[in-house]
Structure formats: structure tokens, C-alpha cells
Amino acid sequence: MKVKFGKNLTDKVPPAPEYFVVQNGTTAYRVMELAKERRHPCYNFTTTLSSWGRSIESICGVYRNHKLKRYWTIRLDPGWKSAPYGIDTLKPTDGQCLVFFYKQFNC
């Protein structure tokens, strides 16, 4: 699991990646919980619950900002592809790394 910040969006320094071996079928939310248990403050996170499931509110004390159109996205590495699901249903496959990327949208 990695945390990255878009250019000039925060003064926070991303933490070193955390690596886990998890059972097949483990959700991205559970991976986030495991990272949080390692006690690095930048792996603390908050979520909100809606009818679609959990949504990332903050990671590392950096909150989504609707007014500035800044949100947390999930990328899958290798390939840097956008995750097709949210954290409740996304289940990384063998060798994939979850990258939580704070990004500003221009739409």
C-alpha cells in the first residue's frame, strides 16, 4: 500500500510504502486497516458511509475538499490503473499494490 499526493496539493510528505501478505479476497478497506495498525500516522484514515459503501474522507490528515475538487482516488500498480471499485469491494490480486492518490479534478 502506498500513499501519494498530487503536486502542490499539500505540504505532507508521503510515508514509505507498507507491504502485506494477505489472503486472497481481502478487501482494500481491510488492507487500509492493517496499515493503520502499523501505527504510522500517515496511514490513519477516515471514511464516510453511504448507500454505495465507504468513501475515503481523509488519509494522513489530508481531507477531501469538495469546494476545491480534491479527492482520494485508488490506483492499482503495476499499471497505474484506476480501481474499478470502492474500498469495500475492491480486492487486490496477487502482486498488486494499492496506491491511494490525492488528486485535484478539473471538471
Side-chain angles (χ1 to χ4, degrees), residues 44-88:
N44 287 334
F45 67 95
T46 61
T47 61
T48 54
L49 187 60
S50 73
S51 59
W52 294 292
R54 288 182 187 93
S55 176
I56 299 169
E57 182 76 26
S58 73
I59 298 175
C60 194
V62 177
Y63 285 80
R64 66 181 172 196
N65 184 319
H66 297 293
K67 186 175 181 179
L68 296 175
K69 299 178 183 166
R70 294 177 180 176
Y71 301 96
W72 284 101
T73 62
I74 307 169
R75 301 286 184 168
L76 299 172
D77 203 16
W80 197 248
K81 294 181 181 178
S82 291
Y85 308 106
I87 58 174
D88 286 327

Short mmCIF file of all heavy atoms in Angstrom, two decimals, residues 44-88:
data_model
loop_
_atom_site.label_atom_id
_atom_site.label_comp_id
_atom_site.label_asym_id
_atom_site.label_seq_id
_atom_site.Cartn_x
_atom_site.Cartn_y
_atom_site.Cartn_z
N ASN A 44 -3.24 6.63 9.02
CA ASN A 44 -4.55 6.84 9.65
C ASN A 44 -5.50 7.34 8.58
O ASN A 44 -5.12 8.12 7.69
CB ASN A 44 -4.46 7.87 10.78
CG ASN A 44 -3.76 7.31 11.99
OD1 ASN A 44 -3.76 6.11 12.21
ND2 ASN A 44 -3.16 8.18 12.77
N PHE A 45 -6.74 6.91 8.65
CA PHE A 45 -7.73 7.32 7.65
C PHE A 45 -9.10 7.42 8.28
O PHE A 45 -9.36 6.87 9.35
CB PHE A 45 -7.75 6.33 6.48
CG PHE A 45 -8.27 4.97 6.84
CD1 PHE A 45 -9.61 4.65 6.63
CD2 PHE A 45 -7.44 4.00 7.38
CE1 PHE A 45 -10.09 3.39 6.97
CE2 PHE A 45 -7.91 2.74 7.71
CZ PHE A 45 -9.25 2.44 7.50
N THR A 46 -9.97 8.16 7.61
CA THR A 46 -11.37 8.24 7.99
C THR A 46 -12.21 7.98 6.75
O THR A 46 -11.77 8.25 5.62
CB THR A 46 -11.75 9.60 8.61
OG1 THR A 46 -11.51 10.62 7.64
CG2 THR A 46 -10.96 9.88 9.87
N THR A 47 -13.40 7.45 6.98
CA THR A 47 -14.33 7.20 5.88
C THR A 47 -15.71 7.68 6.27
O THR A 47 -16.00 7.91 7.44
CB THR A 47 -14.41 5.69 5.54
OG1 THR A 47 -14.89 4.99 6.69
CG2 THR A 47 -13.08 5.13 5.10
N THR A 48 -16.55 7.85 5.27
CA THR A 48 -17.97 8.08 5.49
C THR A 48 -18.71 6.95 4.81
O THR A 48 -18.22 6.37 3.83
CB THR A 48 -18.43 9.44 4.93
OG1 THR A 48 -18.06 9.54 3.55
CG2 THR A 48 -17.80 10.60 5.68
N LEU A 49 -19.87 6.64 5.34
CA LEU A 49 -20.66 5.54 4.80
C LEU A 49 -21.88 6.09 4.07
O LEU A 49 -22.57 6.97 4.57
CB LEU A 49 -21.11 4.61 5.95
CG LEU A 49 -21.81 3.33 5.56
CD1 LEU A 49 -20.92 2.46 4.68
CD2 LEU A 49 -22.21 2.56 6.81
N SER A 50 -22.08 5.60 2.86
CA SER A 50 -23.26 5.98 2.08
C SER A 50 -23.92 4.70 1.56
O SER A 50 -23.45 3.60 1.84
CB SER A 50 -22.86 6.88 0.91
OG SER A 50 -22.21 6.13 -0.10
N SER A 51 -24.94 4.85 0.77
CA SER A 51 -25.61 3.68 0.21
C SER A 51 -24.71 2.93 -0.77
O SER A 51 -24.96 1.78 -1.09
CB SER A 51 -26.91 4.10 -0.48
OG SER A 51 -26.64 5.03 -1.50
N TRP A 52 -23.63 3.56 -1.25
CA TRP A 52 -22.68 2.91 -2.16
C TRP A 52 -21.54 2.24 -1.41
O TRP A 52 -20.70 1.60 -2.01
CB TRP A 52 -22.10 3.92 -3.15
CG TRP A 52 -23.12 4.47 -4.07
CD1 TRP A 52 -23.79 3.80 -5.07
CD2 TRP A 52 -23.61 5.80 -4.09
NE1 TRP A 52 -24.66 4.64 -5.69
CE2 TRP A 52 -24.58 5.89 -5.11
CE3 TRP A 52 -23.35 6.94 -3.33
CZ2 TRP A 52 -25.27 7.05 -5.40
CZ3 TRP A 52 -24.04 8.09 -3.63
CH2 TRP A 52 -24.98 8.14 -4.65
N GLY A 53 -21.45 2.43 -0.11
CA GLY A 53 -20.37 1.87 0.68
C GLY A 53 -19.52 2.97 1.28
O GLY A 53 -19.89 4.14 1.29
N ARG A 54 -18.35 2.59 1.78
CA ARG A 54 -17.45 3.56 2.40
C ARG A 54 -16.76 4.42 1.34
O ARG A 54 -16.38 3.93 0.29
CB ARG A 54 -16.38 2.85 3.23
CG ARG A 54 -16.90 2.24 4.50
CD ARG A 54 -15.74 1.60 5.28
NE ARG A 54 -16.22 0.86 6.41
CZ ARG A 54 -16.50 -0.44 6.40
NH1 ARG A 54 -16.33 -1.14 5.30
NH2 ARG A 54 -16.94 -1.03 7.48
N SER A 55 -16.57 5.67 1.71
CA SER A 55 -15.85 6.62 0.87
C SER A 55 -14.73 7.21 1.71
O SER A 55 -14.92 7.53 2.88
CB SER A 55 -16.80 7.73 0.41
OG SER A 55 -16.13 8.71 -0.32
N ILE A 56 -13.56 7.35 1.12
CA ILE A 56 -12.41 7.88 1.86
C ILE A 56 -12.61 9.37 2.09
O ILE A 56 -12.76 10.15 1.15
CB ILE A 56 -11.09 7.63 1.10
CG1 ILE A 56 -10.87 6.13 0.92
CG2 ILE A 56 -9.92 8.27 1.83
CD1 ILE A 56 -9.73 5.80 -0.04
N GLU A 57 -12.61 9.73 3.35
CA GLU A 57 -12.74 11.13 3.76
C GLU A 57 -11.35 11.75 3.91
O GLU A 57 -11.11 12.86 3.44
CB GLU A 57 -13.51 11.19 5.08
CG GLU A 57 -13.77 12.57 5.60
CD GLU A 57 -14.87 13.31 4.88
OE1 GLU A 57 -15.77 12.67 4.31
OE2 GLU A 57 -14.82 14.54 4.89
N SER A 58 -10.44 11.01 4.58
CA SER A 58 -9.09 11.54 4.79
C SER A 58 -8.09 10.40 4.92
O SER A 58 -8.44 9.29 5.32
CB SER A 58 -9.02 12.41 6.04
OG SER A 58 -9.09 11.61 7.20
N ILE A 59 -6.87 10.69 4.55
CA ILE A 59 -5.71 9.84 4.81
C ILE A 59 -4.59 10.78 5.22
O ILE A 59 -4.40 11.83 4.61
CB ILE A 59 -5.29 9.02 3.56
CG1 ILE A 59 -6.40 8.07 3.10
CG2 ILE A 59 -4.00 8.24 3.83
CD1 ILE A 59 -6.09 7.32 1.81
N CYS A 60 -3.87 10.41 6.27
CA CYS A 60 -2.71 11.20 6.70
C CYS A 60 -3.11 12.62 7.12
O CYS A 60 -2.33 13.54 7.00
CB CYS A 60 -1.66 11.23 5.59
SG CYS A 60 -0.04 11.80 6.08
N GLY A 61 -4.35 12.78 7.56
CA GLY A 61 -4.82 14.10 7.95
C GLY A 61 -5.15 15.02 6.79
O GLY A 61 -5.45 16.19 6.98
N VAL A 62 -5.13 14.48 5.57
CA VAL A 62 -5.46 15.27 4.38
C VAL A 62 -6.88 14.88 3.96
O VAL A 62 -7.15 13.74 3.59
CB VAL A 62 -4.46 14.99 3.23
CG1 VAL A 62 -4.86 15.75 1.98
CG2 VAL A 62 -3.04 15.36 3.66
N TYR A 63 -7.79 15.86 4.05
CA TYR A 63 -9.21 15.62 3.80
C TYR A 63 -9.59 15.95 2.37
O TYR A 63 -9.03 16.88 1.77
CB TYR A 63 -10.06 16.47 4.75
CG TYR A 63 -10.06 15.92 6.15
CD1 TYR A 63 -9.00 16.15 7.01
CD2 TYR A 63 -11.12 15.14 6.60
CE1 TYR A 63 -8.99 15.63 8.30
CE2 TYR A 63 -11.12 14.60 7.88
CZ TYR A 63 -10.06 14.86 8.72
OH TYR A 63 -10.05 14.33 9.98
N ARG A 64 -10.56 15.20 1.86
CA ARG A 64 -11.12 15.57 0.57
C ARG A 64 -11.73 16.96 0.72
O ARG A 64 -12.13 17.37 1.80
CB ARG A 64 -12.14 14.56 0.09
CG ARG A 64 -13.37 14.47 0.93
CD ARG A 64 -14.30 13.41 0.38
NE ARG A 64 -15.41 13.21 1.31
CZ ARG A 64 -16.20 12.18 1.28
NH1 ARG A 64 -16.02 11.23 0.38
NH2 ARG A 64 -17.18 12.07 2.14
N ASN A 65 -11.77 17.68 -0.40
CA ASN A 65 -12.26 19.05 -0.37
C ASN A 65 -13.17 19.25 -1.58
O ASN A 65 -12.69 19.39 -2.70
CB ASN A 65 -11.07 20.02 -0.40
CG ASN A 65 -11.48 21.46 -0.27
OD1 ASN A 65 -12.46 21.90 -0.84
ND2 ASN A 65 -10.69 22.20 0.50
N HIS A 66 -14.48 19.22 -1.33
CA HIS A 66 -15.44 19.34 -2.43
C HIS A 66 -15.32 20.68 -3.15
O HIS A 66 -15.40 20.74 -4.37
CB HIS A 66 -16.87 19.15 -1.93
CG HIS A 66 -17.12 17.79 -1.35
ND1 HIS A 66 -17.12 16.65 -2.11
CD2 HIS A 66 -17.38 17.40 -0.07
CE1 HIS A 66 -17.38 15.60 -1.33
NE2 HIS A 66 -17.52 16.03 -0.10
N LYS A 67 -15.11 21.75 -2.39
CA LYS A 67 -15.02 23.09 -2.99
C LYS A 67 -13.86 23.20 -3.97
O LYS A 67 -13.99 23.78 -5.04
CB LYS A 67 -14.88 24.13 -1.88
CG LYS A 67 -14.93 25.55 -2.36
CD LYS A 67 -14.91 26.52 -1.20
CE LYS A 67 -14.98 27.95 -1.70
NZ LYS A 67 -15.00 28.92 -0.60
N LEU A 68 -12.71 22.61 -3.60
CA LEU A 68 -11.52 22.66 -4.47
C LEU A 68 -11.42 21.45 -5.41
O LEU A 68 -10.46 21.33 -6.16
CB LEU A 68 -10.25 22.76 -3.62
CG LEU A 68 -10.12 24.04 -2.79
CD1 LEU A 68 -8.87 23.96 -1.90
CD2 LEU A 68 -10.09 25.27 -3.67
N LYS A 69 -12.40 20.54 -5.32
CA LYS A 69 -12.46 19.34 -6.17
C LYS A 69 -11.23 18.44 -5.96
O LYS A 69 -10.66 17.92 -6.91
CB LYS A 69 -12.63 19.70 -7.63
CG LYS A 69 -13.90 20.47 -7.90
CD LYS A 69 -14.02 20.85 -9.35
CE LYS A 69 -15.27 21.69 -9.53
NZ LYS A 69 -15.29 22.37 -10.80
N ARG A 70 -10.85 18.28 -4.70
CA ARG A 70 -9.72 17.41 -4.36
C ARG A 70 -10.25 16.17 -3.65
O ARG A 70 -10.98 16.28 -2.66
CB ARG A 70 -8.73 18.15 -3.47
CG ARG A 70 -8.06 19.30 -4.18
CD ARG A 70 -7.13 20.05 -3.28
NE ARG A 70 -6.50 21.14 -4.00
CZ ARG A 70 -5.69 22.01 -3.45
NH1 ARG A 70 -5.41 21.93 -2.15
NH2 ARG A 70 -5.16 22.96 -4.17
N TYR A 71 -9.86 15.02 -4.19
CA TYR A 71 -10.40 13.76 -3.69
C TYR A 71 -9.32 12.69 -3.65
O TYR A 71 -8.33 12.76 -4.37
CB TYR A 71 -11.55 13.27 -4.59
CG TYR A 71 -12.68 14.25 -4.67
CD1 TYR A 71 -12.76 15.16 -5.72
CD2 TYR A 71 -13.66 14.29 -3.68
CE1 TYR A 71 -13.80 16.07 -5.79
CE2 TYR A 71 -14.70 15.19 -3.75
CZ TYR A 71 -14.76 16.08 -4.80
OH TYR A 71 -15.79 16.99 -4.86
N TRP A 72 -9.58 11.66 -2.82
CA TRP A 72 -8.73 10.48 -2.78
C TRP A 72 -9.18 9.51 -3.86
O TRP A 72 -10.37 9.21 -3.97
CB TRP A 72 -8.80 9.82 -1.40
CG TRP A 72 -8.02 10.59 -0.40
CD1 TRP A 72 -8.48 11.46 0.53
CD2 TRP A 72 -6.60 10.57 -0.26
NE1 TRP A 72 -7.45 12.00 1.25
CE2 TRP A 72 -6.27 11.45 0.79
CE3 TRP A 72 -5.57 9.90 -0.91
CZ2 TRP A 72 -4.97 11.68 1.20
CZ3 TRP A 72 -4.26 10.12 -0.50
CH2 TRP A 72 -3.97 11.00 0.54
N THR A 73 -8.25 9.04 -4.66
CA THR A 73 -8.53 8.03 -5.67
C THR A 73 -7.68 6.80 -5.37
O THR A 73 -6.71 6.88 -4.61
CB THR A 73 -8.22 8.53 -7.09
OG1 THR A 73 -6.82 8.84 -7.19
CG2 THR A 73 -9.02 9.79 -7.42
N ILE A 74 -8.06 5.69 -5.96
CA ILE A 74 -7.29 4.46 -5.78
C ILE A 74 -6.74 4.03 -7.13
O ILE A 74 -7.48 3.93 -8.11
CB ILE A 74 -8.15 3.32 -5.21
CG1 ILE A 74 -8.88 3.77 -3.94
CG2 ILE A 74 -7.29 2.09 -4.92
CD1 ILE A 74 -9.94 2.79 -3.48
N ARG A 75 -5.46 3.80 -7.18
CA ARG A 75 -4.79 3.28 -8.37
C ARG A 75 -4.24 1.90 -8.05
O ARG A 75 -3.90 1.60 -6.91
CB ARG A 75 -3.63 4.19 -8.80
CG ARG A 75 -4.03 5.59 -9.12
CD ARG A 75 -4.72 5.63 -10.43
NE ARG A 75 -5.03 7.01 -10.79
CZ ARG A 75 -5.43 7.35 -11.99
NH1 ARG A 75 -5.55 6.44 -12.92
NH2 ARG A 75 -5.72 8.59 -12.25
N LEU A 76 -4.14 1.08 -9.06
CA LEU A 76 -3.57 -0.25 -8.91
C LEU A 76 -2.25 -0.30 -9.65
O LEU A 76 -2.17 0.05 -10.82
CB LEU A 76 -4.53 -1.32 -9.45
CG LEU A 76 -5.88 -1.36 -8.76
CD1 LEU A 76 -6.82 -2.29 -9.49
CD2 LEU A 76 -5.72 -1.79 -7.32
N ASP A 77 -1.22 -0.71 -8.95
CA ASP A 77 0.11 -0.79 -9.52
C ASP A 77 0.55 -2.25 -9.47
O ASP A 77 0.31 -2.91 -8.45
CB ASP A 77 1.06 0.08 -8.69
CG ASP A 77 2.29 0.52 -9.44
OD1 ASP A 77 2.28 0.43 -10.67
OD2 ASP A 77 3.25 0.96 -8.79
N PRO A 78 1.10 -2.85 -10.47
CA PRO A 78 1.61 -2.19 -11.67
C PRO A 78 0.50 -1.77 -12.63
O PRO A 78 -0.60 -2.29 -12.60
CB PRO A 78 2.49 -3.26 -12.30
CG PRO A 78 1.95 -4.56 -11.82
CD PRO A 78 1.34 -4.30 -10.48
N GLY A 79 0.83 -0.80 -13.47
CA GLY A 79 -0.08 -0.33 -14.49
C GLY A 79 -0.73 1.01 -14.21
O GLY A 79 -1.21 1.67 -15.10
N TRP A 80 -0.74 1.42 -12.92
CA TRP A 80 -1.29 2.72 -12.53
C TRP A 80 -2.72 2.90 -13.03
O TRP A 80 -3.15 3.97 -13.42
CB TRP A 80 -0.38 3.83 -13.03
CG TRP A 80 -0.62 5.15 -12.37
CD1 TRP A 80 -1.14 6.25 -12.98
CD2 TRP A 80 -0.39 5.53 -11.01
NE1 TRP A 80 -1.22 7.29 -12.09
CE2 TRP A 80 -0.78 6.88 -10.86
CE3 TRP A 80 0.09 4.86 -9.90
CZ2 TRP A 80 -0.69 7.56 -9.66
CZ3 TRP A 80 0.18 5.54 -8.72
CH2 TRP A 80 -0.19 6.88 -8.60
N LYS A 81 -3.49 1.81 -13.04
CA LYS A 81 -4.88 1.86 -13.50
C LYS A 81 -5.80 2.28 -12.36
O LYS A 81 -5.57 1.94 -11.20
CB LYS A 81 -5.31 0.49 -14.01
CG LYS A 81 -4.57 0.07 -15.24
CD LYS A 81 -5.05 -1.28 -15.72
CE LYS A 81 -4.26 -1.68 -16.96
NZ LYS A 81 -4.62 -2.98 -17.45
N SER A 82 -6.86 3.01 -12.72
CA SER A 82 -7.87 3.38 -11.73
C SER A 82 -8.57 2.14 -11.24
O SER A 82 -8.90 1.24 -12.02
CB SER A 82 -8.91 4.32 -12.35
OG SER A 82 -8.34 5.56 -12.63
N ALA A 83 -8.83 2.10 -9.96
CA ALA A 83 -9.55 0.96 -9.38
C ALA A 83 -10.99 0.97 -9.88
O ALA A 83 -11.63 2.02 -9.92
CB ALA A 83 -9.51 1.03 -7.86
N PRO A 84 -11.50 -0.20 -10.24
CA PRO A 84 -12.87 -0.27 -10.75
C PRO A 84 -13.94 -0.25 -9.66
O PRO A 84 -15.12 -0.12 -9.96
CB PRO A 84 -12.90 -1.59 -11.51
CG PRO A 84 -11.90 -2.45 -10.81
CD PRO A 84 -10.83 -1.49 -10.33
N TYR A 85 -13.55 -0.37 -8.39
CA TYR A 85 -14.50 -0.45 -7.29
C TYR A 85 -14.00 0.39 -6.12
O TYR A 85 -12.84 0.79 -6.08
CB TYR A 85 -14.64 -1.90 -6.78
CG TYR A 85 -14.95 -2.89 -7.87
CD1 TYR A 85 -13.97 -3.77 -8.31
CD2 TYR A 85 -16.21 -2.95 -8.43
CE1 TYR A 85 -14.25 -4.69 -9.31
CE2 TYR A 85 -16.50 -3.87 -9.43
CZ TYR A 85 -15.52 -4.74 -9.86
OH TYR A 85 -15.79 -5.63 -10.85
N GLY A 86 -14.87 0.58 -5.15
CA GLY A 86 -14.50 1.28 -3.92
C GLY A 86 -13.82 0.35 -2.94
O GLY A 86 -13.65 -0.85 -3.20
N ILE A 87 -13.46 0.88 -1.78
CA ILE A 87 -12.66 0.13 -0.82
C ILE A 87 -13.38 -1.06 -0.19
O ILE A 87 -12.75 -1.98 0.29
CB ILE A 87 -12.09 1.04 0.28
CG1 ILE A 87 -13.19 1.78 1.04
CG2 ILE A 87 -11.08 2.00 -0.30
CD1 ILE A 87 -12.69 2.58 2.22
N ASP A 88 -14.71 -1.05 -0.21
CA ASP A 88 -15.46 -2.17 0.37
C ASP A 88 -15.47 -3.40 -0.52
O ASP A 88 -15.59 -4.52 -0.03
CB ASP A 88 -16.90 -1.77 0.67
CG ASP A 88 -17.00 -0.86 1.88
OD1 ASP A 88 -16.19 -1.01 2.80
OD2 ASP A 88 -17.90 -0.02 1.90
#
